[in-house]
Amino acid sequence: MNSSKTVANGPNREGASRNLASISPFFIVKDLQTSITYYRERLGFQLDFQGPDDGPYYAGVSRDGIGIMLKAILPDVLPCPNHTRHAWARWDAYIYTMDPDALFDEFSQRGVSFVKQLSFIDEGL
């Protein structure tokens, strides 16, 4: 093995096949049904599952191959977005989009509220 290669890149990245296909962030929510409704009606996601049947407290939603897990833990275990702990930690998950302007317009038309208007942070972001 060539010591100049990193573990992350592996010994032969070009020749290796991809094994990882997606990631689904896991968000703690205050109210599961309210969160499902928001993701469906405002963000255009579909409900993939929720459970258990006798008292759902977790669910999975998806859109365009992106999955997000939602879970209501206990009434006293509330969501804690990263930016509420550290102002410089602006997001809890990052989803790349091919057309951010179109997505911003769609979300605006669906009634999504924004903390900040769409803008460039850095080149490519």
Coordinates of all heavy atoms in Angstrom, one line a residue, residues 1-2 11 22 34 37 39 50 53 61 75 84 97 116:
M1 N 0.8 -1.2 0.0 CA 0.0 0.0 0.0 C 0.9 1.2 0.0 O 1.8 1.3 0.8 CB -0.9 0.0 1.2 CG -1.8 1.2 1.3 SD -3.0 0.9 2.7 CE -4.0 2.3 2.4
N2 N 0.5 2.2 -0.8 CA 1.3 3.4 -0.9 C 0.9 4.3 0.3 O -0.3 4.7 0.5 CB 0.9 4.1 -2.2 CG 1.7 5.4 -2.5 OD1 2.2 6.0 -1.5 ND2 1.8 5.7 -3.7
P11 N -6.9 2.7 -1.5 CA -5.7 2.4 -2.3 C -5.9 2.6 -3.8 O -5.0 2.9 -4.5 CB -5.4 1.0 -2.0 CG -6.6 0.4 -1.4 CD -7.4 1.5 -0.8
S22 N -26.7 6.4 -0.2 CA -27.5 7.5 0.3 C -27.3 7.6 1.8 O -26.7 6.8 2.4 CB -29.0 7.4 0.0 OG -29.5 6.4 0.7
T34 N -47.5 16.8 12.8 CA -47.3 18.1 12.3 C -46.0 18.2 11.4 O -46.1 18.8 10.3 CB -47.1 19.1 13.5 OG1 -48.3 19.1 14.3 CG2 -46.9 20.5 13.0
T37 N -46.8 16.5 8.0 CA -47.6 17.4 7.2 C -46.7 18.5 6.6 O -46.9 18.8 5.4 CB -48.7 18.0 8.0 OG1 -49.6 16.9 8.5 CG2 -49.6 18.9 7.2
Y39 N -43.4 18.5 5.9 CA -42.6 18.0 4.9 C -43.3 17.6 3.6 O -42.8 17.9 2.5 CB -41.8 16.7 5.4 CG -40.5 17.1 6.1 CD1 -40.5 17.4 7.5 CD2 -39.3 17.1 5.5 CE1 -39.4 17.8 8.2 CE2 -38.1 17.5 6.1 CZ -38.2 17.8 7.5 OH -37.0 18.1 8.1
Q50 N -44.4 5.2 8.6 CA -44.5 5.7 10.0 C -44.8 4.5 10.9 O -45.5 3.6 10.4 CB -45.4 6.9 10.2 CG -46.9 6.6 9.9 CD -47.7 7.8 10.1 OE1 -47.5 8.6 11.1 NE2 -48.6 8.1 9.2
D53 N -47.6 1.0 14.4 CA -49.1 1.2 14.0 C -49.9 1.6 15.2 O -50.8 2.4 15.1 CB -49.7 -0.1 13.4 CG -49.1 -0.4 12.1 OD1 -48.6 0.5 11.4 OD2 -49.1 -1.6 11.7
V61 N -39.5 10.2 5.4 CA -40.0 11.0 4.3 C -38.9 11.1 3.2 O -37.8 11.0 3.6 CB -40.5 12.4 4.7 CG1 -41.7 12.3 5.6 CG2 -39.4 13.2 5.3
P75 N -42.1 14.2 25.4 CA -42.5 15.6 25.4 C -41.4 16.6 25.9 O -41.3 17.7 25.4 CB -43.7 15.6 26.3 CG -44.2 14.2 26.3 CD -43.0 13.3 26.1
T84 N -28.8 26.7 17.0 CA -29.2 27.2 18.4 C -28.1 27.0 19.4 O -28.1 27.6 20.4 CB -30.5 26.6 18.8 OG1 -30.3 25.2 19.0 CG2 -31.6 26.8 17.8
T97 N -28.4 20.6 -4.4 CA -29.5 20.7 -5.5 C -28.9 21.3 -6.8 O -28.0 22.1 -6.7 CB -30.6 21.7 -5.0 OG1 -31.6 21.8 -6.1 CG2 -30.2 23.0 -4.6
K116 N -33.5 33.5 6.0 CA -32.6 34.4 5.2 C -33.0 34.0 3.7 O -33.2 32.9 3.4 CB -31.2 34.1 5.4 CG -30.2 35.0 4.7 CD -28.8 34.6 5.1 CE -27.8 35.5 4.3 NZ -26.4 35.1 4.7

